Amino acid sequence: MIGDVVQAEGAPGPTLVLHRDRLPAGALASCAELTVVRRWLERTGRGGIRKLALIGTSADPSCDLDYRFVQCLPDGFDFRTGCGHSLLAAVVGTGRPGAVRVRAVTTGDTVVCVPEPHGTYTVRLERVAATADLLPTGRPADRLGGLTVSIVRYGNPYVFVDARDLGLDSDHALFAAGPPVLGRLIAVRAAAARLLEMPSRGALPKVAAVGSYRPGRLSVRAVTVSGWHPALALTGGVCLAAGTAVPGTLLSRLALDSGPSYEACPRAARSLRLDTPSGPVHVSTEATAERLRHVAVHGKRARVLERAVPLPWRIRVTA
């Protein structure tokens, strides 16, 4: 069995991409087999790989590829979450030219990766949804851990907290925040997991603090499985942008607070800059007051670190 190691820019680590056409039938479903693969990666100096992706020709005639994702956790694996950076890594790993339409089997979403000049991609989540349906609790705001939060689901579910409510009055303070703030966000995430009846030790929901400090942009810092995210998950940018289209959410309020340039944009096509610890992320939405059509993240990159890595031959990865 062989795989490719691909790093998407902004991801906390590389993805091991397994090509289904090279493998026996079945589906990244055995924790025992995955544990062997994980231990082999650690023994061979690849312990930083915590994301696994299976890619192959789609069973859906409207899509080019099917993509399945597994997140490695400290004590196991999460089969329920999605990862936009790993999806892009998987597409780049295939070497397919032109726009690639991907069915994300884990989440049921359709994602299109469109090549741009200078080697970048626009990654567009195409899921038409009523804006009210993006709120898992049915409310634009909830109280968790003494904080007002907005829980939004467009792709992965996210819990968003106003950074100023955490005492962070600048992007510098947000990006320099240490363990006390991280601990509060982890506690909020755990409370949201209970509210949404999700496993408290799983990867979902995600959590991020968002601030409006400069005109025309938002600052965001998110938490990943192992601590602070070095940038922002691609799914986080997508979900945040989607949340700005939902009236009454703190994201909608913060986007409007960011300045008249956002308010003046037509709702049908709004763009927003998100500042992260590793640099800016550009997102856009196409929406009406009641319906979201798609969200895109622009200027993303990925590169192949290793080709045709030989993995233990006894492991059966199934689809």
Side-chain angles (χ1 to χ4, degrees):
M1 182 171 69
I2 60 174
D4 300 320
V5 179
V6 187
Q7 174 73 56
E9 185 179 82
T15 296
L16 176 63
V17 179
L18 301 168
H19 299 266
R20 192 181 63 201
D21 298 340
R22 306 174 188 170
L23 302 170
L28 286 176
S30 167
C31 288
E33 292 174 350
L34 290 171
T35 298
V36 174
V37 171
R38 180 172 177 173
R39 289 173 179 169
W40 179 86
L41 290 170
E42 291 169 349
R43 287 198 307 271
T44 58
R46 301 179 178 92
I49 298 175
R50 289 289 183 261
K51 298 175 182 292
L52 309 176
L54 180 67
I55 196 82
T57 303
S58 181
D60 183 342
S62 69
C63 293
D64 301 303
L65 298 171
D66 279 353
Y67 156 83
R68 191 184 295 271
F69 174 72
V70 176
Q71 173 69 58
C72 298
L73 301 174
D75 56 355
F77 304 92
D78 195 322
F79 297 87
R80 303 167 303 110
T81 184
C83 178
H85 281 130
S86 289
L87 185 149
L88 176 61
V91 168
V92 170
T94 69
R96 292 176 69 109
V100 180
R101 191 173 182 86
V102 183
R103 184 177 69 142
V105 177
T106 311
T107 61
D109 293 316
T110 299
V111 180
V112 182
C113 297
V114 182
E116 299 174 344
H118 311 299
T120 64
Y121 283 81
T122 287
V123 181
R124 186 172 68 243
L125 176 56
E126 295 189 339
R127 176 154 63 85
V128 178
T131 52
D133 292 341
L134 305 185
L135 304 174
T137 67
R139 300 177 292 271
D142 291 275
R143 292 285 293 180
L144 294 175
L147 297 168
T148 298
V149 307
S150 288
I151 305 176
V152 180
R153 182 163 197 162
Y154 190 72
N156 284 338
Y158 266 77
V159 187
F160 295 104
V161 180
D162 189 334
R164 292 186 187 274
D165 290 346
L166 296 167
L168 306 172
D169 294 328
S170 67
D171 55 0
H172 174 75
L174 174 60
F175 298 152
V181 173
L182 177 62
R184 290 194 72 183
L185 290 175
I186 291 173
V188 167
R189 194 211 72 82
R194 291 191 295 271
L195 180 64
L196 300 176
E197 299 182 340
M198 292 181 169
S200 60
R201 298 176 66 86
L204 299 178
K206 306 289 188 178
V207 63
V210 185
S212 177
Y213 304 119
R214 300 183 184 183
R217 62 182 70 177
L218 296 179
S219 298
V220 56
R221 195 173 186 196
V223 177
T224 187
V225 171
S226 57
W228 290 115
H229 197 291
L232 177 65
L234 199 152
T235 55
V238 165
C239 194
L240 192 159
T244 65
V246 183
T249 63
L250 68 86
L251 297 171
S252 175
R253 173 177 57 79
L254 290 172
L256 292 174
D257 288 349
S258 70
S261 60
Y262 179 84
E263 188 171 11
C265 290
R267 284 189 65 90
R270 281 181 168 172
S271 61
L272 188 65
R273 168 173 163 158
L274 307 177
D275 289 328
T276 80
S278 296
V281 175
H282 297 275
V283 297
S284 63
T285 60
E286 183 177 322
T288 65
E290 295 82 23
R291 189 166 296 273
L292 181 65
R293 298 195 177 279
H294 70 244
V295 175
V297 181
H298 306 273
K300 301 301 296 183
R301 297 178 183 272
R303 60 192 176 95
V304 177
L305 302 182
E306 295 183 82
R307 278 285 188 202
V309 178
L311 277 76
W313 67 268
R314 296 181 183 86
I315 305 307
R316 284 181 62 84
V317 181
T318 52

